[in-house]
Amino acid sequence: QMTRNLMSQMTGLHTESIWSAGTHDRVVAIKTHYPFSGEDEHLELLENRQFDRAILVMRSPLHTIPSFFNQIYEKRHGLPSHTQRGTEEEWIKFRDNPQWGFEHNVNQYELMITHWMEQFSLRNRLLIVTYETLVNEKSGPTQSMRIAEWLQRTEGVEAMNEQFIPCIWDKVVRSRGRLSEAEADGVL
């Protein structure tokens, strides 16, 4: 959600996810985890929406896979998303499971990266940003400017003046993407 809020704040346009696509007439970005999940939604998205470029936000699998496990744990125990870590005992069971554990998820991560790199060859069609540099206090504002410049290449998309990007980055990242409804709908 944080990256989507950052994009919205920098452009004044909404973003969506593949699970909510179609709620706005015009969006600046649509989030997907494809091909890791949401295959049917992704195929529908490709058929109904026109886009020829992508931003791939990559996070280290050393952080992504435990985070994915925590989401499974929270869902299994009826907890709100991103609020609690699973127990060490359940993590070890998940990690060591040969069918859907750590090794399986590393392979899925590789497939996801390969898919996007093949689908949108690097030549002006794919911007790669790492989550770790995006949330880093020193590199985050610069990465945000890269994203704003990338989005601005789309007809009808105008990013905020670059002097405001560090302030927007600070507000969105420090709140971990959790903006009030008024903040999310307007420009900070």
Side-chain angles (χ1 to χ4, degrees):
Q1 187 64 36
M2 182 196 72
T3 307
R4 291 176 52 206
N5 281 340
L6 186 60
M7 288 185 217
S8 290
Q9 292 299 314
M10 292 189 302
T11 64
L13 296 170
H14 291 280
T15 65
E16 293 183 339
S17 73
I18 59 169
W19 300 279
S20 68
T23 57
H24 298 97
D25 290 337
R26 181 166 168 77
V27 296
V28 72
I30 300 173
K31 172 187 173 179
T32 179
H33 292 173
Y34 185 81
F36 195 70
S37 66
E39 184 172 345
D40 292 340
E41 292 91 349
H42 182 77
L43 294 175
E44 183 178 328
L45 177 67
L46 286 174
E47 291 173 6
N48 297 329
R49 300 272 181 148
Q50 294 182 353
F51 61 97
D52 59 357
R53 297 181 309 129
I55 299 173
L56 178 61
V57 180
M58 294 174 29
R59 186 176 182 195
S60 168
L62 293 175
H63 303 290
T64 302
I65 296 169
S67 179
F68 177 60
F69 159 74
N70 288 330
Q71 280 189 313
I72 292 170
Y73 178 85
E74 290 165 337
K75 193 171 190 171
R76 187 178 295 151
H77 294 280
L79 301 168
S81 184
H82 301 292
T83 60
Q84 190 168 337
R85 293 183 175 183
T87 65
E88 184 176 347
E89 181 182 336
E90 288 194 45
W91 161 249
I92 291 170
K93 275 193 230 176
F94 172 85
R95 180 195 70 191
D96 295 343
N97 186 300
Q99 292 179 322
W100 42 263
F102 192 83
E103 189 174 332
H104 169 78
N105 280 282
V106 167
N107 292 332
Q108 291 294 307
Y109 187 84
E110 179 183 4
L111 289 172
M112 179 196 67
I113 293 168
T114 301
H115 166 80
W116 288 102
M117 290 184 76
E118 288 174 353
Q119 182 81 18
F120 296 97
S121 63
L122 293 178
R123 190 168 254 185
N124 294 322
R125 295 186 64 219
L126 181 65
L127 175 66
I128 298 175
V129 176
T130 65
Y131 176 82
E132 289 78 10
T133 59
L134 187 58
V135 298
N136 180 281
E137 193 170 314
K138 291 184 181 184
S139 58
T142 303
Q143 294 301 309
S144 297
M145 283 188 224
R146 286 181 64 222
I147 292 170
E149 289 168 4
W150 179 262
L151 294 171
Q152 196 161 259
R153 292 182 196 170
T154 304
E155 187 178 327
V157 175
E158 195 172 319
M160 296 292 267
N161 185 304
E162 70 178 42
Q163 72 185 21
F164 298 116
I165 302 291
C167 180
I168 292 170
W169 175 88
D170 185 67
K171 175 64 176 175
V172 172
V173 172
R174 291 204 194 285
S175 69
R176 298 187 53 86
R178 293 181 178 97
L179 301 176
S180 71
E181 198 171 310
E183 289 173 321
D185 283 342
V187 176
L188 300 173

